């Protein structure tokens, strides 16, 4: 394991090179945290130092916490992952149906409920615990559906929030208390909270965004709502998340038994990218090495980025948190790979293209709330158009077409998916394509 001085030097150089105010990093094994360092400042306004105890909002890394808490309920028989969700939430209704449509907790935790991808919207501050049920059930009843449960991978904040609501209902306590009792207390995650008012009693990292001239400023626009607690509203430190990561390496079987970790770490979903990235139960799974995949999740919004990644085969893991945004994702991966012998780095694809021909993909595709896609064959290549944007894609591995050059972050759906560096269109079947992980249905006459 690296010594602290090596980590500090590398982080200081990274911050200077990439204009990042502060970074916190913690390495761990199944036995718990090993090395934790902070570098720089938590806020350019206050000048508060960045330390391993600085709190960050986790954004989508929260999903892995929620999924793990729900799995503890399955482990002790309180819930069944493959039972209909309305067994726990009988008032649940989905759009166009008089019931829940057969959705299970496993569908929700693997993003297979069939809903549109959704975003975390600015909803203002809402700390009423009862609003989780009110808002989530209301949105489920309105959310358009792409497909029947189990058919299509479609990343959904709402789906994980619904799974968290089921956990709240069966335990009879507010969601934040349910996860605290199931995970945070037994794992020693003393600082972790879903309540922003509690988070503000600790040293708290601030979001930093660049203006048109490249100068950084602190972003003070809050994005808080109880309905986001299970999917993206959790605050923690690198040390607390390292304790959680150690449990996912098998270090706390009394909380997360090994057979249930195996279920979480098994591929359940395929986003049909150019790289072999899959999704388990609320966790991303990297390419297999010696039969074992890396496991983790990231979370980000403008001005903040968090990442947990672990390698069960080597019994190591890393937590990274900093106060810049998604635009530096690849640069972080490069440094993590250099520091931890490739950890977090997804290799370039080498597999040959699958048997699907370009003319089989030609047609129009749609996703509610987004510009339609027009896909046209040009020999073996594809030309993909959406609104005023278009891309020429070449045959890639395993039924994908990819951009000829690496691409940086961009607005959805044109930005490469996490783990990939290219615009990628993957074919699920004759009815569905995924553009950078976002599903589109074929238009029918």
């Amino acid at each position: 394991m690296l010594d602290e001085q090596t980590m500090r030097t590398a982080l200081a150089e990274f911050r200077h090179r990439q204009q990042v105010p502060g970074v916190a990093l913690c390495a761990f094994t199944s036995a718990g945290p090993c090395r934790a360092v902070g570098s720089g400042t938590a806020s350019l306004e206050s000048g508060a130092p960045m330390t391993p105890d600085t709190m960050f909002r986790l954004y989508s890394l929260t999903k892995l916490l929620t999924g793990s808490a729900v799995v503890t309920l399955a482990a002790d028989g309180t819930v069944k992952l493959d039972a209909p969700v309305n067994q726990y939430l009988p008032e649940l209704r989905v759009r166009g149906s008089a019931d829940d449509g057969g959705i299970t907790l496993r569908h929700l935790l693997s993003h297979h409920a069939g809903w549109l991808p959704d975003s975390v919207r600015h909803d203002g501050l809402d700390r009423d615990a009862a609003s989780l049920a009110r808002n989530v059930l209301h949105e489920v009843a309105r959310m358009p559906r792409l497909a029947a449960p189990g058919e299509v991978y479609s990343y959904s904040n709402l789906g994980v929030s619904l799974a968290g609501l089921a956990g709240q209902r069966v335990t009879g306590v507010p969601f934040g208390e349910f996860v605290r009792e199931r995970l945070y207390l037994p794992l020693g995650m003393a600082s972790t909270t879903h309540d922003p008012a509690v988070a503000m009693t600790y040293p708290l990292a601030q979001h930093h965004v660049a203006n048109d001239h490249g100068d950084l400023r602190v972003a003070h626009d809050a994005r808080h709502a109880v309905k986001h607690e299970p999917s993206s509203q959790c605050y923690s430190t690198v040390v607390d998340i390292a304790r959680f990561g150690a449990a996912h390496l098998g270090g706390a079987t009394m909380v997360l038994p090994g057979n249930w970790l195996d279920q979480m770490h098994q591929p359940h979903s395929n986003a049909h990218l150019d790289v072999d990235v899959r999704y388990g139960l609320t966790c991303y799974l990297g390419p297999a090495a010696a039969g074992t995949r890396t496991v983790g999740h990231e979370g980000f919004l403008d001005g903040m980025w968090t990442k947990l990644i672990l390698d069960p085969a080597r019994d190591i893991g890393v937590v990274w948190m900093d106060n810049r945004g998604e635009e530096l994702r690849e640069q972080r991966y490069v440094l993590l790979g250099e520091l931890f012998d490739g950890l977090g780095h997804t290799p370039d694809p080498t597999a040959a293209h699958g048997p699907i021909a370009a003319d089989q993909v030609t047609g129009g595709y749609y996703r509610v709330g987004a510009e339609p896609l027009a896909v046209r064959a040009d020999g073996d290549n594809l030309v993909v158009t959406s609104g005023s944007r278009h891309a020429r894609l070449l045959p890639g591995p395993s039924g994908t077409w990819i951009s000829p050059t690496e691409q940086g972050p961009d607005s959805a759906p044109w930005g490469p998916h996490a783990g990939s560096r290219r615009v990628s269109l993957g074919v699920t079947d004759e009815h569905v394509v995924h553009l950078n992980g976002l599903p589109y249905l074929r238009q029918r006459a």
Side-chain angles (χ1 to χ4, degrees):
M1 189 70 70
L2 289 174
D3 63 90
E4 289 188 16
Q5 187 55 50
T6 299
M7 293 167 65
R8 289 183 189 280
T9 300
L11 293 186
E13 292 175 351
F14 173 85
R15 289 194 307 101
H16 178 74
R17 187 169 60 250
Q18 303 298 341
Q19 197 182 5
V20 177
V23 183
L25 181 67
C26 186
F28 60 90
T29 69
S30 58
C34 299
R35 301 281 189 274
V37 300
S39 177
T41 181
S43 169
L44 289 177
E45 290 182 348
S46 70
M50 181 69 74
T51 77
D53 296 319
T54 300
M55 295 278 276
F56 283 79
R57 181 164 172 177
L58 302 181
Y59 289 103
S60 283
L61 178 50
T62 305
K63 293 179 174 65
L64 185 50
L65 299 172
T66 297
S68 301
V70 171
V71 164
T72 68
L73 296 175
D76 67 16
T78 302
V79 301
K80 295 181 179 179
L81 296 184
D82 296 307
V85 178
N86 67 4
Q87 181 172 319
Y88 313 111
L89 299 166
E91 72 273 41
L92 177 65
R93 300 292 183 271
V94 300
R95 183 168 176 169
S97 176
D99 56 24
D100 70 348
I103 297 171
T104 68
L105 286 171
R106 192 181 300 275
H107 291 144
L108 298 175
L109 299 181
S110 62
H111 299 298
H112 256 95
W115 288 316
L116 286 171
D118 58 326
S119 60
V120 178
R121 298 189 302 274
H122 184 128
D123 292 282
L125 184 62
D126 181 355
R127 295 175 58 201
D128 176 9
S131 72
L132 180 63
R134 183 171 61 249
N135 289 325
V136 169
L137 293 174
H138 175 69
E139 289 203 16
V140 167
R142 298 170 60 247
M143 178 62 72
R145 302 182 70 184
L146 283 166
E151 290 185 354
V152 174
Y153 169 78
S154 182
Y155 190 90
S156 174
N157 291 287
L158 181 61
V160 176
S161 289
L162 184 60
L165 175 59
Q168 172 176 287
R169 182 64 58 83
V170 299
T171 58
V173 297
F175 173 78
E177 188 61 28
F178 147 56
V179 185
R180 174 177 158 81
E181 292 176 356
R182 286 282 170 164
L183 289 180
Y184 307 155
L185 288 178
L187 295 180
M189 300 166 64
S191 302
T192 305
T193 179
H194 295 260
D195 188 335
V198 174
M200 287 187 289
T201 66
Y202 293 91
L204 184 63
Q206 301 299 321
H207 298 66
H208 291 78
V209 296
N211 61 21
D212 292 340
H213 303 290
D215 300 319
L216 293 182
R217 65 172 178 86
V218 173
H220 290 287
D221 48 331
R223 297 174 174 90
H224 301 309
V226 167
K227 73 174 183 178
H228 299 321
E229 285 187 356
S231 67
S232 59
Q233 185 175 299
C234 183
Y235 301 81
S236 191
T237 68
V238 290
V239 175
D240 266 14
I241 298 302
R243 294 186 176 104
F244 170 71
H248 268 268
L249 287 175
T253 55
M254 75 296 293
V255 180
L256 285 167
N259 59 321
W260 289 96
L261 285 177
D262 290 343
Q263 284 202 49
M264 294 191 72
H265 299 172
Q266 286 297 313
H268 283 67
S269 302
N270 186 353
H272 297 273
L273 301 168
D274 59 307
V275 290
D276 185 24
V277 174
R278 304 297 175 96
Y279 205 87
L281 297 181
T282 57
C283 57
Y284 282 105
L285 306 170
T292 303
R293 292 178 179 269
T294 56
V295 179
H297 215 296
E298 65 184 36
F300 58 87
L301 201 64
D302 295 341
M304 191 163 290
W305 196 84
T306 66
K307 178 77 176 184
L308 167 67
I309 185 164
L310 51 102
D311 184 345
R314 293 191 289 164
D315 190 32
I316 62 170
V318 177
V319 186
W320 172 298
M321 300 181 185
D322 72 53
N323 45 14
R324 283 295 304 273
E326 180 189 13
E327 66 273 13
L328 298 177
R329 172 191 282 133
E330 187 59 31
Q331 291 89 329
R332 298 175 180 107
Y333 285 170
V334 169
L335 181 56
L336 285 170
E338 292 173 352
L339 290 175
F340 298 98
D341 191 22
L343 185 65
H345 178 68
T346 302
D348 290 327
T350 57
H353 191 273
I356 301 171
D359 57 6
Q360 293 177 271
V361 190
T362 295
Y365 297 84
Y366 72 95
R367 179 165 58 87
V368 176
E371 294 276 5
L373 288 182
V375 181
R376 175 174 59 85
D378 183 11
D380 292 333
N381 303 328
L382 292 178
V383 177
V384 180
T385 302
S386 177
S388 62
R389 299 286 298 272
H390 70 276
R392 182 182 179 84
L393 306 181
L394 312 181
S398 306
T400 63
W401 281 261
I402 62 176
S403 60
T405 59
E406 294 183 359
Q407 306 291 314
D410 201 346
S411 57
W414 294 104
H417 191 280
S420 174
R421 295 186 293 274
R422 298 177 188 268
V423 173
S424 175
L425 185 133
V427 180
T428 300
D429 56 33
E430 63 179 10
H431 304 299
V432 182
V433 298
H434 283 81
L435 179 59
N436 297 318
L438 293 171
Y440 288 78
L441 299 181
R442 184 185 288 274
Q443 293 176 337
R444 300 296 183 183

